[in-house]
């Protein structure tokens, strides 16, 4: 049997799965464990992504020091660009052992393998140095690569950084901490729990299952983006969504129980909206992260925060934290719908909570949050 869902049903499943209903989760660790990952992006135009994601779920119960404590205690680790529960590293070890991947390998993976092999001596030097003196930032690790890393992007000739990235993928080194936003590296055996590796196929299945539990509704197969995949395989039950092409997979845990929504301000990198295709199909929401656009071309702002109200995405908040002045400045609230009183009150309430998190004053537009440009 194939489930038939309205868009509203599908949205509510997605919102419940992402812990964005009125019933807030208990603590930051339970949020990270349920979501499975939080992207480690340090763009601080408003606040780092991890703080935004956790505050969106926990509200005033969260403070950045909580995350620092979780990382310091080793309950949460930074792995491959994401914060993850430390115990989940066991689900990646078989993949690390199989680096650069299982056969058949694509040409670009072969190129990575060849570059690392050509610089084997550099890799050995890094392991020896970290074993004796780690943890260390990349800038304190000598570059002994014989073959430089060539790229048309910002990583060109950043040999040590690229080698560390690939050694992390191989499970040899790990991010031990961050000092003033800079990663320090150590041997993975000193950072990650010493849990046995879950076999490759079993780990893939478990990661797909957990991904569906965190997303609620997703495609069985999806285009593989950089970073974390969006697909969930054959887990859950098959469904169609009214007005949307194709089939979906739904976690049956979200098919029962009521829905009581709330207002939330989201990071542009939040998993509710990070898959822009899924966001458009289910929420019919028009959004792009505009930080890489010229200022004159932006419609909503450098790092506009999507506004969730109930089961709908209803607008964007253009704001900026002015650290020197200790002010959160809100330039505009761009509404996609005619805002109700509850929407306006919800957004203002969240902005005041967010300013309190940042320990700054709040400066609203002259018209408050009543209208957007």
């Amino acid at each position: 049997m194939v489930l038939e869902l309205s868009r509203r049903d599908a949205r509510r499943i997605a919102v419940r799965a992402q812990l964005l209903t009125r019933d807030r989760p208990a603590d930051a660790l339970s949020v990270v464990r349920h979501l499975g990952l939080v992207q480690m992006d340090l763009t601080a135009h408003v606040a780092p992504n991890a703080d935004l994601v956790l505050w969106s779920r926990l509200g005033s119960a969260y403070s950045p020091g909580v995350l620092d404590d979780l990382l310091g205690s080793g309950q949460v680790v930074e792995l491959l660009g994401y914060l993850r529960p430390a115990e989940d590293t066991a689900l990646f070890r078989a993949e690390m052992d199989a680096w650069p991947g299982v056969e058949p390998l694509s040409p670009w993976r072969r190129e990575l393998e060849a570059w690392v092999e050509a610089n084997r001596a550099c890799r050995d030097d890094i392991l020896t140095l970290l074993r004796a003196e780690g943890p260390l930032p990349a800038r304190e690790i000598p570059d002994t690569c014989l073959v430089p890393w060539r790229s048309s992007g910002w990583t060109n000739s950043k040999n040590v950084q690229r080698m560390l990235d690939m050694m992390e993928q191989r499970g040899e080194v790990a991010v031990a901490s961050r000092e003033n936003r800079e990663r320090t590296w150590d041997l993975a055996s000193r950072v990650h729990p010493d849990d046995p590796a879950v076999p490759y196929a079993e780990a893939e299945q478990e990661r797909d299952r957990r991904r569906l539990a965190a997303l609620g509704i997703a495609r069985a197969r999806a285009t593989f983006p950089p970073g974390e995949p969006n697909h969930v395989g054959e887990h859950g039950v098959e469904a169609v969504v009214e007005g949307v092409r194709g089939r979906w997979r739904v976690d049956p845990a979200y098919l029962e129980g009521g829905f009581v929504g709330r207002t939330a301000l989201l990071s542009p990198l939040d998993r509710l909206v990070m898959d822009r295709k899924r966001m458009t199909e289910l929420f019919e929401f028009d959004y792009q992260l505009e930080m890489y656009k010229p200022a004159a071309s932006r419609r909503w702002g450098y790092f506009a925060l999507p506004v969730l109200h109930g089961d709908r995405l209803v607008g964007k908040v253009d704001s900026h934290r002015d650290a020197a002045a200790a002010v959160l400045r809100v330039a505009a609230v761009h509404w996609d719908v005619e805002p109700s009183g509850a929407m306006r009150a919800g957004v203002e309430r969240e902005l005041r909570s967010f300013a309190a998190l940042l320990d700054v004053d709040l400066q609203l537009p002259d018209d408050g949050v009543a209208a957007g440009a």
Side-chain angles (χ1 to χ4, degrees):
M1 176 178 286
V2 178
L3 290 176
E4 296 183 1
L5 301 174
S6 66
R7 267 201 176 98
R8 188 187 75 166
D9 293 336
R11 291 195 302 266
R12 290 186 170 188
I13 289 170
V15 172
R16 287 177 64 197
Q18 279 288 291
L19 307 178
L20 287 164
T21 59
R22 192 175 66 183
D23 294 329
R24 294 183 185 266
D27 53 58
L29 182 58
S30 66
V31 172
V32 176
R33 281 177 169 156
H34 177 81
L35 298 183
L37 57 90
V38 176
Q39 187 166 336
M40 190 64 182
D41 185 279
L42 298 177
T43 302
H45 186 76
V46 180
N49 178 66
D51 289 330
L52 263 170
V53 169
L54 293 172
W55 167 79
S56 293
R57 275 76 183 168
L58 293 164
S60 60
Y62 176 71
S63 69
V66 171
L67 181 56
D68 292 339
D69 291 343
L70 290 175
L71 288 164
S73 68
Q75 295 178 86
V76 170
V77 297
E78 182 177 340
L79 176 64
L80 304 175
Y82 295 90
L83 301 179
R84 303 179 189 268
E87 61 269 19
D88 282 10
T89 57
L91 298 173
F92 292 86
R93 288 195 168 168
E95 182 178 293
M96 291 171 172
D97 292 341
W99 189 93
V102 296
E103 298 288 354
L105 291 178
S106 61
W108 72 271
R109 287 187 180 274
R110 290 288 187 202
E111 291 173 6
L112 295 180
E113 183 179 39
W115 185 79
V116 171
E117 180 59 27
N119 290 298
R120 178 187 291 187
C122 177
R123 175 174 149 258
D124 291 342
D125 290 344
I126 291 173
L127 290 172
T128 299
L129 180 63
L130 291 181
R131 189 173 294 112
E133 301 183 27
L136 294 170
R139 58 184 166 78
E140 293 184 16
I141 299 175
D143 181 0
T144 60
C145 285
L146 298 176
V147 179
W149 176 261
R150 296 302 184 201
S151 167
S152 60
W154 70 273
T155 60
N156 189 54
S157 293
K158 292 185 180 294
N159 302 329
V160 170
Q161 188 57 66
R162 290 304 290 137
M163 182 61 76
L164 287 167
D165 290 341
M166 288 179 220
M167 292 173 71
E168 183 187 24
Q169 294 169 27
R170 293 166 61 100
E172 296 170 328
V173 302
V175 177
S177 65
R178 284 188 180 260
E179 297 178 5
N180 297 322
R181 299 163 60 92
E182 184 179 20
R183 290 179 293 183
T184 66
W185 296 88
D186 205 347
L187 301 179
S189 59
R190 294 173 178 168
V191 178
H192 296 162
D194 188 24
D195 298 327
V198 177
Y200 190 93
E202 182 182 338
E204 275 202 317
Q205 287 288 314
E206 180 61 13
R207 283 157 59 183
D208 284 352
R209 186 194 68 77
R210 295 189 188 192
R211 194 175 299 121
L212 181 59
L215 294 173
I217 178 168
R219 300 288 191 179
R221 297 285 178 266
T223 302
F224 197 104
E228 183 74 6
N230 298 323
H231 60 256
V232 297
E234 300 306 313
H235 291 277
V237 295
E238 193 172 29
V240 293
V241 177
E242 182 182 5
V244 182
R245 290 184 177 182
R247 301 293 178 95
W248 299 79
R249 306 298 299 187
V250 174
D251 188 325
Y254 302 110
L255 295 176
E256 297 182 1
F259 178 87
V260 182
R262 61 179 174 88
T263 304
L265 305 183
L266 307 178
S267 164
L269 307 180
D270 196 288
R271 291 192 84 190
L272 190 73
V273 298
M274 187 60 180
D275 182 343
R276 306 293 195 235
K277 185 173 188 295
R278 174 178 178 267
M279 175 196 74
T280 302
E281 290 176 325
L282 299 184
F283 290 87
E284 301 177 279
F285 186 58
D286 184 16
Y287 182 82
Q288 291 180 345
L289 178 58
E290 298 182 312
M291 62 189 291
Y292 302 110
K293 288 185 175 184
S297 301
R298 296 175 192 145
R299 292 180 288 173
W300 309 304
Y302 181 89
F303 202 76
L305 308 181
V307 177
L308 175 71
H309 182 75
D311 60 37
R312 300 169 64 200
L313 292 166
V314 297
K316 303 97 175 169
V317 173
D318 180 8
S319 60
H320 169 56
R321 178 191 181 189
D322 185 337
V327 172
L328 177 64
R329 303 187 193 279
V330 180
V333 179
H334 302 280
W335 295 104
D336 289 37
V337 300
E338 183 63 32
S340 66
M343 289 179 191
R344 292 193 295 269
V347 168
E348 184 165 340
R349 182 171 57 248
E350 290 302 295
L351 284 168
R352 294 194 182 282
S353 170
F354 190 40
L357 170 80
L358 301 175
D359 194 24
V360 298
D361 294 329
L362 176 64
Q363 184 180 90
L364 295 172
D366 290 341
D367 58 358
V369 296

